[in-house]
Each structure stands twice: as C-alpha cells, then as structure tokens.
Amino acid sequence: MKFTKHLFLTAFAATGILLTSCSNPADKTESATVAEAVETAKSVANSSIYSIRSDSTISFVGSKVTGSHGGGFNSFEGEIAVADNKIVAPSKVTIQMDSLWSDNDRLTGHLKREDFFDTVNIPTAEFAVTSMQDTPQGPELTGNLTLHGVTKSISFKPEVSISDNEVTLKAEFDIMRFDFGIVYKGKVDDLIRDEVVIKLDIKATSASWLGGA
C-alpha cells in the first residue's frame, strides 16, 4: 500500500511539473493590438528630446509545449520626443538584431538564423511612435514596429513617467510572431507557440540636461 501511494505521489508531482512547464507566459499579459502600418507621423514642433540610456532593457519570453526561454537585446539606441506631456513623433528605437541573447547558447544561435530573425539579412528592428492616447485604462502608445522585415502598427499600454530631466517607460505585452513572418513551427512533438511576450524598461534622459543646459 505504501508503494502504491508512493507511485501515486510521484505521478502527481510529475504531472504538476508538466503542467507548469506547459503554461503559456502570454496568458499573463495583454496582447498588443496589431494592424496595418500607418503613415509615419510628422515630428511635433518644439518637442523635448530625451536620449535612451544604456541601462534600459528590451527583453522577450518565448515558449513551446515543454517550457519557455527568456532573452533580449544588448544593443539598441534611440530618442523619445515629448510634447504636452505625451510621447510623440519622432520617438524611435532601433535594435541591432545580432546583439540578441537568450538563456541558452544553442537557442541564441538558432534565433539568429533564417528560421527566426535572419540577422545577417535583416540586421535591425525598429519601433517608431505614431501617437499616444489617453484611455480609461491609462495611456496607449501606438507605433510602427518593423520586425523581420515586416512593418505593422502595434498599440500597447505602458506605464509612463515624464519629468523635465527623464522619461521612463515600462510595458509587458505579447505579440503574434506569425504577424511578422516568423513561422518556424518547431518539432512536431514540441511546437513553438505563436505568442511572444515583450518586456520594455526604457529610461531616457533629456538631451538638454545631458548637455548641461
């Protein structure tokens, strides 16, 4: 009887581990609204410019049937423009895709190849702001995301703080990689999920403050 109970508990524990590994990280995030790319917004006159700092982070979480992997990008640059206490055009961040990293070296190499980001032929990704609107749930930021050579308009709800010297932006949302032509399915018995969670922690300092003005 004790042996049977031990088998039952072992099976139960194994099932719990399996259920945990199979969970989808995107179930805990809000999906970005994705639409066709919109016309690039004109720069807003007399906007304040903030330079994105090196201590900012852009990361992601992808998953498959058996588990998930985290990663991000080590090299990116850009500026945030602010007018009337809102982020406006020409705010933009450009990512060097070959700076991609993940929590598994073999996976990092695969993500850089043609199955995924094809970093040799498509060396950069870009997000260019087109508008920021107030909603009952908070600010909503919209911009053209160019990823894997495909440009779509995406909207998501970040946490934003704006002062004279600094802008901070934090966001966590998911996108569908198929929308950007990344269609590699993975192994038949371990399929890769379409949803990818994006995590932003952006810090930018006023250009005038950096210049000592």
Side-chain angles (χ1 to χ4, degrees):
M1 190 70 178
K2 290 182 179 179
F3 181 70
T4 303
K5 182 178 180 181
H6 176 73
L7 286 177
F8 174 78
L9 291 174
T10 302
F12 182 81
T15 302
I17 293 171
L18 181 62
L19 289 173
T20 300
S21 66
C22 288
S23 63
N24 187 347
D27 289 343
K28 299 178 181 180
T29 57
E30 183 177 350
S31 299
T33 301
V34 179
E36 294 303 312
V38 299
E39 185 178 352
T40 303
K42 295 180 179 180
S43 301
V44 175
N46 300 319
S47 58
S48 299
I49 304 298
Y50 300 73
S51 297
I52 294 176
R53 302 202 311 253
S54 60
D55 57 344
S56 301
T57 59
I58 298 175
S59 57
F60 60 84
V61 179
S63 65
K64 53 185 180 178
V65 172
T66 57
S68 62
H69 288 283
F73 303 93
N74 287 320
S75 180
F76 51 89
E77 60 183 3
E79 295 180 333
I80 295 177
V82 173
D84 297 326
N85 211 41
K86 289 184 179 180
I87 297 174
V88 297
S91 300
K92 181 171 68 175
V93 59
T94 301
I95 301 170
Q96 301 301 320
M97 295 300 291
D98 196 52
S99 73
L100 181 150
W101 62 270
S102 78
D103 55 17
N104 180 285
D105 289 342
R106 184 177 178 182
L107 173 62
T108 298
H110 194 186
L111 290 174
K112 292 182 179 182
R113 294 199 294 270
E114 292 85 352
D115 286 340
F116 290 95
F117 294 112
D118 193 9
T119 61
V120 171
N121 295 305
I122 311 172
T124 62
E126 179 182 280
F127 178 71
V129 170
T130 54
S131 67
M132 182 173 174
Q133 304 292 332
D134 292 324
T135 75
Q137 294 77 37
E140 181 177 76
L141 192 64
T142 299
N144 288 330
L145 174 62
T146 301
L147 179 65
H148 193 240
V150 177
T151 303
K152 297 283 187 179
S153 174
I154 71 168
S155 300
F156 57 92
K157 294 179 175 63
E159 296 178 7
V160 179
S161 175
I162 299 173
S163 69
D164 290 341
N165 296 333
E166 184 181 63
V167 173
T168 62
L169 182 151
K170 293 185 178 182
E172 192 167 329
F173 58 90
D174 60 88
I175 60 175
M176 307 289 275
R177 62 188 179 91
F178 281 23
D179 286 336
F180 296 90
I182 304 172
V183 297
Y184 179 74
K185 295 181 179 180
K187 298 178 181 178
V188 174
D189 59 348
D190 197 11
L191 295 176
I192 299 169
R193 293 191 175 97
D194 189 6
E195 304 95 335
V196 178
V197 174
I198 306 297
K199 299 181 179 183
L200 305 177
D201 186 356
I202 303 298
K203 304 167 186 176
T205 302
S206 169
S208 61
W209 187 80
L210 284 172

